[in-house]
Amino acid sequence: MGEQKSNQTEQDLNHVLKARRDKLAELQAAGKDPFQITKYDVTAHSMEIKDHYDQWEEKEVSIAGRMMFKRVMGKASFCNLQDLQGRIQVYVARDSVGEDAYKEFKKLDIGDIVGVKGTVFTTKTGEISVHASEFTLLSKSLQVLPEKFHGLTDTDLRYRQRYVDLIMNEDVKDTFIKRSKILAAIRKYLGGEGFMEVETPMLVSNAGGAAARPFETHFNALDEDLKLRISLELYLKRLIVGGLERVYEIGRVFRNEGLDTRHNPEFTLMELYQAYTDYHGMMDLTENLYRFVAQEVLGTTKIVYNGVEMDLGKPFERITMLDAVKKYSGVDFNEIHTLEEARAAAKEKHVEFEERHKKGDILNLFFEAFVEEHLIQPTFVMDHPGEISPLTQKKPENPEYTERFEFFMNGWEMANAYSELNDPIDQRERFKAQEEQFAAGDEEANHTDEDFLNALEIGMPPTGGIGFGIDRMCMLLTDSAAIRDVLLFPTMKSLDAKKGEGKAEKAVENAAVAEEKVAEKIDFSNVKIEPLFEEMIDFDTFAKADFRAVKILECEAVPKSKKLLKFTLDDGTDRKRTILSGIHEYYEPEDLIGKTAIAIVNLPPRKMMGIDSEGMLISAVHEEDGHEGLNLLMVNDRIPAGAKLY
């Protein structure tokens, strides 16, 4: 029955699309091709007319926009036009536009782009409208606009077809107008503080300045491999060396990492550098900048995100990383002097670490596990360990730590700032340590940049520097749940390129694929499987493990972890279950959303990166060519959530 209804809907849609193309062909045959019109003089927009009605009443205007509604009633009709600012009603009477033109108006479709000349007036029902004297079809819409282009099921389509999203959802358009205003306000504030906006290369031979894996590309003309930049830092510091005392850049940077609600592989970063100041100067600048932007764009310094109020008007809290870890975990790293003691504390508190991690790295893991989630109000976390701050000045009174802070709101890192390292000898040593970490398997470590070291040897003044995540700032100031909601065109996995093919061709292709699948033989000769357990367990012991089918509602990478994915699962109960699994090497989060998997649901919760993991997802592992292979066990989607396995 459902399939029959779907086929009927598709037939109806095809009929509508054909009718639109036929109308266009008719217009073209009559010498009225709308696509021949190259301009239209617009004298007013919808909200200008509505907000300043007293200035426009009974005056002639020329408006243009997309027809979103049409009601034909004999000799007179109404339609709604939508432009940049909003919607306005248009009254079209046969006697005003002429009989032939009125016939043409009646043939217009929802979605057509129309220009209207007419007089501003108010209808008997009190609606401000334009009484049309003439209208012009400026572009024929050959597709159908969706009736309700929103809701969870359509998020993927909304991001892919942002142009439709902007047409159908007023709040989406408002978000991107606000984003533009946020960027303008940032530039206005920094311009007033004497900063110069500059541009630096995106294609670089050495992608440094942050801990991230770069994208790689090839420049044919020079036959040279290049990388896309992961930060703006090293070039901006060269400009400080050159005597440009206050510089900033707002630009796209690229990091070869996973997609989730707060991460996109290309995102907007702002970095600024100011000579003759330190990280305290950067704190003052951050506090003043955030206040200015919120007031300028929202008209208030109190913002609400996801129902939580954050006050940018009060002085921002300032706390050291050591004190924050002590406050929220109870562990005092002032009392921990060796790597062995740090590892023992981590084991006691179930904080996972790697063999290569030093004492400072473990302090940072404690911070991520116990502190970040509590930093809702604006907070500066200061004095990070040297091991995680390769480009930062050491604290003279305590060289294990650096003059660095991260700015947090809503539990998110919003900015990262340093008293910049300007000692070229120390910087060379730091690069050397980073090279060693890279050799030990850290793909995100920095490489030595000889030209940058040469710049430091020329001499860089004491400098404060900071990097701001502009997309996260926009998320907070527009109350947007995900980074994709503030990126006009977020990175999406490519759709099947052949989706638009005719059904006959598709059927032939599907048959060929099916035939190929039947013939496909998988070679397992180079696959090693773990030997079977030889000791027996009794049936009752095994039966105590509660295996259930679970639906994957959400999946995202765990920040600061290369391996962990965080799953939000429907387990058939009225609450959502969270399970963490170390399978990010094998799967991207977005590929797993909507799948049905198998989990053990009666294990005690286990803390991983500060998050309670409530069970275990089942995967199958094997060894192939000396490497571990893994497949998450996924089953038929027809199995309901919560179904028990026997």
Side-chain angles (χ1 to χ4, degrees), residues 333-352:
F333 268 74
N334 277 317
E335 303 299 318
I336 291 173
H337 304 291
T338 65
L339 176 56
E340 287 67 34
E341 288 171 5
R343 285 175 171 173
K347 285 172 185 169
E348 189 185 329
K349 288 286 187 178
H350 307 293
V351 174
E352 291 193 11

Side-chain angles (χ1 to χ4, degrees), residues 361-529:
D361 296 301
I362 293 172
L363 170 63
N364 188 50
L365 292 172
F366 266 79
F367 174 76
E368 290 167 0
F370 292 103
V371 181
E372 284 188 358
E373 63 188 293
H374 298 289
L375 305 179
I376 304 301
Q377 296 302 319
T379 306
F380 295 117
V381 177
M382 309 181 294
D383 303 351
H384 293 52
E387 291 91 335
I388 61 166
S389 313
L391 300 165
T392 318
Q393 282 281 19
K394 292 172 182 169
K395 288 181 72 65
E397 69 276 19
N398 189 354
E400 274 189 59
Y401 296 93
T402 60
E403 293 198 349
R404 172 186 175 187
F405 74 80
E406 287 178 318
F407 172 50
F408 280 85
M409 282 180 71
N410 193 49
W412 303 347
E413 180 201 329
M414 304 297 295
N416 185 20
Y418 309 152
S419 295
E420 300 298 334
L421 182 63
N422 62 346
D423 176 347
I425 297 165
D426 189 355
Q427 180 63 78
R428 185 174 288 281
E429 286 302 309
R430 308 269 191 113
F431 275 140
K432 187 180 170 190
Q434 287 280 299
E435 294 281 11
E436 286 168 6
Q437 286 189 30
F438 184 79
D442 183 357
E443 292 179 20
E444 297 183 347
N446 279 223
H447 294 281
T448 305
D449 186 328
E450 288 295 345
D451 182 71
F452 175 64
L453 288 169
N454 185 61
L456 289 190
E457 286 175 4
I458 296 286
M460 186 174 92
T463 298
I466 187 164
F468 290 91
I470 297 295
D471 304 310
R472 288 188 189 177
M473 186 185 202
C474 291
M475 285 171 69
L476 278 186
L477 295 180
T478 60
D479 197 7
S480 298
I483 193 171
R484 290 178 174 191
D485 296 325
V486 296
L487 297 176
L488 279 165
F489 300 102
T491 303
M492 304 290 287
K493 188 164 185 171
S494 299
L495 290 170
D496 177 4
K498 297 185 177 178
K499 243 179 185 169
E501 285 182 0
K503 280 191 174 175
E505 292 93 327
K506 197 70 182 165
V508 170
E509 185 202 282
N510 287 345
V513 169
E515 202 174 299
E516 206 175 289
K517 275 189 177 170
V518 171
E520 182 186 19
K521 285 194 173 72
I522 300 172
D523 178 14
F524 288 125
S525 61
N526 61 345
V527 168
K528 278 168 109 179
I529 304 296

Side-chain angles (χ1 to χ4, degrees), residues 533-545:
F533 284 110
E534 300 217 343
E535 63 270 27
M536 294 290 177
I537 59 162
D538 62 86
F539 188 81
D540 288 345
T541 302
F542 170 74
K544 283 175 187 168

